[in-house]
Amino acid sequence: MVMSAIDTTDRQKRLVDMLAYVQKQKEVNDQNKKVQEDAINESLSAKKRKTSSTTSKPCMTKPKSALPEYHFNTDKTCNTLELPLRPEVEVRPYQREALEAIVDKSDPDPANHTARSGIIVLPCGAGKTLTSILVASALQKPVLVVCSTIIAAEQFSKEFLRFTTLMASKTGMFAGAKKWPYNGPSGVLFTTYTMLVENKNRTVDSKRMTSFIDKTEWGLIILDEVHCVPANNFAKAISKIKAKVRLGLTATMLREDERIGDLETLVGPTLYHAKWKELADKGYIAKVICTQVEADMTPNVHRAHESVQTQGNGLLGHGHHLKSLLAILNPKKMQICQRLIQYHESRGDKVLVYCDHIDALKLYADKINRPYIYGGTPTEEARQLLSRFQIDVPETNEELSWNQVAARRSLKAKQISTLFLSRIGDTSLDLPAATVLIQVSSHFGSRRQEAQRLGRVLRAKKRNEKGFYSRFYTLVTNDTHEVTFSEKRRQFLEEDCGYGYQIWKVGEEEEGGWKVEAHRDNSSPDDDEVKTDPITCSVMGSIERPYATEEDEKQLITFLSNLKNYQVEEEEEELALDSGSNNNTTGSKRKR
């Protein structure tokens, strides 16, 4: 069919109109789509702003405490206790910040001043005790102080009398054989966790003191070493005490059983947490050089170690304990420990040596001829040893009178420069004279124990002297379980506390000492005068080395192989089972 010119023109016109219509519809659709997209984006933005506002809101509110806020100025249920600080007491800035985190006096009306329950985390030696006394002084109400050991309770009592005008008659003690309340309607009572635990065998005096604690309306309960509280017996005992404010103190918010989270329910949230390294950089606590000293076993001990069968024994079986003892008592390790002690004593340092295993502790102390304290040491003997350790008679070039010379000789005869400690020394010991710590064995990979032991040398009196560093040595026997456990503990100090580690790999013996391959990290200070001298230098005076001959080593192996019962010191929570006894020792031990 032939189309006319008119039809062709008409058809083209219709196509053009159709294309125009399609183009117009496309533009309308694109515009509608853009409007919809803009609406969706606006909706999402609004939702995001709302979510952001919602999630940031809890940061503006205070974390919930275990007890309600306490309006201490208007409370009439608790008696008033006048507890002013002595005028010469110097409060550090971070202690003031910690106080303000607990006690809120921002309102101009004193009736609205409040105190909250919670936890303060400060490094050992940073003044946790004084910080808690600041809180007690602000509240002016009866105070119950709960410590982990008898010696710690006694030290806390002395600090209250030192920092405040409180009279001794206003203090009471319920720890060990000491059982008396304070005089008058209000005061401060010091006790231990174990004394608070229910026990059917309580003495008459213990029952009287327990009744006194239960009946008293306490304004403040101070929980020293608060990481102990989650233990079942302790938690139950603390929860029964009527207190308006619970204040927990610790250097380490750590428990290897992961029950540290229970503290928020039992005590309250962490309200103040100071960083270790920051306080050290400002001179509030000592700077520390941490060193891991690695040594191989001697051939005889290595063969004995490899021959021990541990299959099916578990971590607490006979085989495991024997392998542990062989690693701890590695003769080369003992000789290095002896050398470190000899070197640092010659420099005027005070040395603490830690060993968890009681059998090994006694052998170390005997062979190196230094005193020791463990769970079975009577409290009075332990107290005297700690007091003698604190005696420091520095060298002087001044001309002295005969009386002064005689006095110095008397003090030097009493002073102890090195003290061996078991796990009983991990917490609550105030030993500001200590400048060096040597760890020859530990409780598996416990991070808390590592931090607590490091804290023993953070108090060092010499911390502000130019170029002074405290020393923290960990002695490890190669190719044993000690290496694995040490790695876990070391990682915690590096990542959580900010302390670097240097590694000394001790090699063959040479004249005067041993060859050492030293690996220093970036945190190692350039002004360290000691370096590897303790191991490599020659020390004047000949001292018999422990287990220096093959015959001595064989006798050691035979002795350890014949041990039937291994003495293992208990954890703090296990001591709760012994709370009602009149045991006058610093702690206890059990045999396996």
Side-chain angles (χ1 to χ4, degrees):
M1 181 176 78
V2 181
M3 295 180 64
S4 66
I6 297 175
D7 290 336
T8 302
T9 303
D10 186 55
R11 184 168 180 270
Q12 289 177 342
K13 185 176 182 300
R14 286 199 302 270
L15 287 173
V16 170
D17 291 341
M18 185 178 295
L19 288 172
Y21 175 77
V22 171
Q23 184 67 30
K24 185 177 181 180
Q25 284 297 113
K26 184 177 183 299
E27 291 176 357
V28 171
N29 290 339
D30 288 345
Q31 188 175 2
N32 289 339
K33 185 177 180 181
K34 186 176 186 304
V35 171
Q36 289 177 353
E37 287 177 349
D38 290 343
I40 292 172
N41 290 335
E42 179 64 26
S43 177
L44 289 174
S45 298
K47 188 175 181 180
K48 185 175 181 180
R49 288 194 299 271
K50 184 178 179 180
T51 304
S52 175
S53 176
T54 304
T55 54
S56 63
K57 189 175 180 180
C59 298
M60 302 298 292
T61 61
K62 297 177 180 178
K64 188 176 180 181
S65 295
L67 298 174
E69 289 190 346
Y70 177 44
H71 291 75
F72 50 90
N73 285 328
T74 58
D75 176 47
K76 303 299 181 184
T77 60
C78 291
N79 294 317
T80 300
L81 174 65
E82 292 188 8
L83 197 63
L85 292 177
R86 294 187 182 275
E88 65 272 17
V89 174
E90 294 183 5
V91 180
R92 295 171 177 174
Y94 62 86
Q95 292 173 323
R96 184 73 63 188
E97 292 172 2
L99 169 65
E100 292 171 355
I102 300 293
V103 180
D104 184 1
K105 291 186 176 181
S106 59
D107 196 295
D109 185 358
N112 294 328
H113 293 176
T114 59
R116 307 176 57 227
S117 295
I119 296 169
I120 292 174
V121 184
L122 288 175
C124 299
K128 292 188 293 294
T129 301
L130 176 55
T131 305
S132 66
I133 292 173
L134 295 177
V135 176
S137 179
L139 299 189
Q140 304 277 315
K141 301 293 182 183
V143 182
L144 177 64
V145 181
V146 189
C147 300
S148 58
T149 65
I150 299 169
I151 292 177
E154 293 172 345
Q155 289 178 344
F156 223 114
S157 175
K158 291 177 182 177
E159 295 297 274
F160 255 88
L161 297 176
R162 173 188 168 199
F163 290 123
T164 72
T165 60
L166 185 71
M167 294 185 294
S169 61
K170 287 288 186 180
T171 64
M173 185 67 69
F174 181 38
K178 298 181 178 181
K179 301 168 186 176
W180 62 79
Y182 50 73
N183 292 334
S186 62
V188 184
L189 180 65
F190 303 89
T191 186
T192 63
Y193 290 104
T194 57
M195 299 299 283
L196 297 178
V197 178
E198 289 289 345
N199 192 295
K200 296 179 181 179
N201 301 319
R202 285 191 185 277
T203 63
V204 174
D205 287 341
S206 292
K207 290 179 180 178
R208 176 173 57 86
M209 288 301 299
T210 303
S211 176
F212 174 78
I213 292 172
D214 291 342
K215 291 179 180 178
T216 301
E217 292 281 350
W218 302 100
L220 173 67
I221 178 171
I222 298 172
L223 303 168
D224 193 26
E225 307 295 348
V226 73
H227 51 261
C228 300
V229 171
N232 291 331
N233 290 327
F234 295 163
K236 183 179 179 182
I238 295 300
S239 300
K240 288 174 58 180
I241 297 171
K242 293 180 288 185
K244 305 296 185 182
V245 177
R246 294 176 188 159
L247 173 61
L249 305 175
T250 187
T252 52
M253 283 291 284
L254 288 169
R255 284 178 64 94
E256 300 308 319
D257 60 6
E258 305 302 332
R259 292 184 62 184
I260 201 72
D262 295 350
L263 284 176
E264 189 154 339
T265 303
L266 296 167
V267 181
T270 299
L271 298 179
Y272 189 82
H273 192 159
K275 297 296 182 182
W276 295 47
K277 199 70 168 56
E278 291 177 7
L279 297 188
D281 291 340
K282 293 178 181 178
Y284 293 124
I285 57 178
K287 294 181 179 179
V288 185
I289 294 179
C290 301
T291 306
Q292 181 164 301
V293 184
E294 301 175 355
D296 292 331
M297 281 185 175
T298 60
N300 286 330
V301 175
H302 184 264
R303 283 192 293 270
H305 183 271
E306 292 300 303
S307 66
V308 176
Q309 299 296 320
T310 59
Q311 188 173 3
N313 282 322
L315 284 177
L316 299 179
H318 179 276
H320 171 79
H321 278 294
L322 180 53
K323 288 178 82 78
S324 295
L325 281 172
L326 289 168
I328 297 167
L329 292 163
N330 171 18
K332 188 172 182 179
K333 182 173 171 179
M334 293 186 74
Q335 293 164 16
I336 291 171
C337 178
Q338 181 191 50
R339 166 55 69 89
L340 289 172
I341 291 171
Q342 186 182 9
Y343 175 87
H344 282 289
E345 283 185 344
S346 69
R347 289 172 55 90
D349 287 316
K350 293 282 190 174
V351 185
L352 296 175
V353 185
Y354 275 88
C355 181
D356 274 38
H357 210 296
I358 306 302
D359 299 296
L361 173 76
K362 293 178 178 179
L363 281 173
Y364 262 90
D366 177 61
K367 292 296 180 180
I368 301 178
N369 194 25
R370 298 294 189 276
Y372 64 91
I373 296 174
Y374 76 114
T377 305
T379 301
E380 187 55 37
E381 181 183 339
R383 191 182 290 113
Q384 290 179 7
L385 289 173
L386 292 171
S387 177
R388 291 173 61 190
F389 183 81
Q390 292 292 79
I391 298 174
D392 189 15
V393 187
E395 297 298 326
T396 180
N397 294 323
E398 296 180 8
E399 189 173 337
L400 303 176
S401 66
W402 186 90
N403 286 337
Q404 290 173 323
V405 171
R408 284 175 60 84
R409 285 176 179 171
S410 176
L411 284 175
K412 280 191 172 183
K414 293 178 182 177
Q415 79 172 356
I416 294 173
S417 295
T418 297
L419 186 61
F420 280 79
L421 294 170
S422 70
R423 197 183 302 172
I424 198 73
D426 284 351
T427 60
S428 305
L429 287 185
D430 185 17
L431 298 171
T435 54
V436 175
L437 188 143
I438 303 170
Q439 184 172 236
V440 298
S441 82
S442 57
H443 184 59
F444 302 114
S446 174
R447 299 162 297 167
R448 184 182 82 197
Q449 187 186 63
E450 191 85 344
Q452 287 171 330
R453 289 183 175 177
L454 177 67
R456 299 307 111 203
V457 290
L458 293 180
R459 293 176 171 86
K461 292 179 180 178
K462 303 176 184 178
R463 63 176 177 266
N464 291 319
E465 294 181 9
K466 186 177 180 180
F468 171 78
Y469 295 93
S470 290
R471 305 278 160 172
F472 183 83
Y473 296 100
T474 297
L475 308 191
V476 175
T477 298
N478 289 327
D479 301 322
T480 68
H481 64 278
E482 290 184 347
V483 177
T484 305
F485 293 143
S486 179
E487 281 296 318
K488 180 182 178 184
R489 298 160 69 94
R490 182 160 61 91
Q491 185 180 4
F492 166 70
L493 286 190
E494 289 176 333
E495 296 179 359
D496 290 47
C497 300
Y499 287 96
Y501 251 89
Q502 55 184 5
I503 308 295
W504 292 354
K505 296 182 180 292
V506 181
E508 295 299 319
E509 189 172 351
E510 57 185 10
E511 186 177 355
W514 290 268
K515 292 180 180 178
V516 174
E517 182 184 328
H519 300 270
R520 305 175 69 203
D521 62 13
N522 295 331
S523 67
S524 298
D526 295 328
D527 58 346
D528 176 18
E529 298 177 353
V530 173
K531 297 184 171 58
T532 60
D533 287 356
I535 306 296
T536 58
C537 74
S538 297
V539 178
M540 297 298 291
S542 59
I543 295 179
E544 184 180 350
R545 289 185 177 180
Y547 305 110
T549 67
E550 286 196 13
E551 186 61 33
D552 291 339
E553 289 183 10
K554 290 176 182 178
Q555 290 179 5
L556 171 65
I557 295 168
T558 301
F559 171 75
L560 297 179
S561 300
N562 291 334
L563 276 178
K564 300 300 181 185
N565 295 313
Y566 299 102
Q567 295 183 1
V568 181
E569 207 150 70
E570 296 173 341
E571 292 278 21
E572 294 100 328
E573 44 261 51
E574 291 170 342
L575 295 175
L577 302 176
D578 194 34
S579 63
S581 68
N582 289 320
N583 188 357
N584 68 339
T585 60
T586 57
S588 63
K589 62 183 184 303
R590 55 196 165 106
K591 294 183 178 181
R592 293 193 186 280

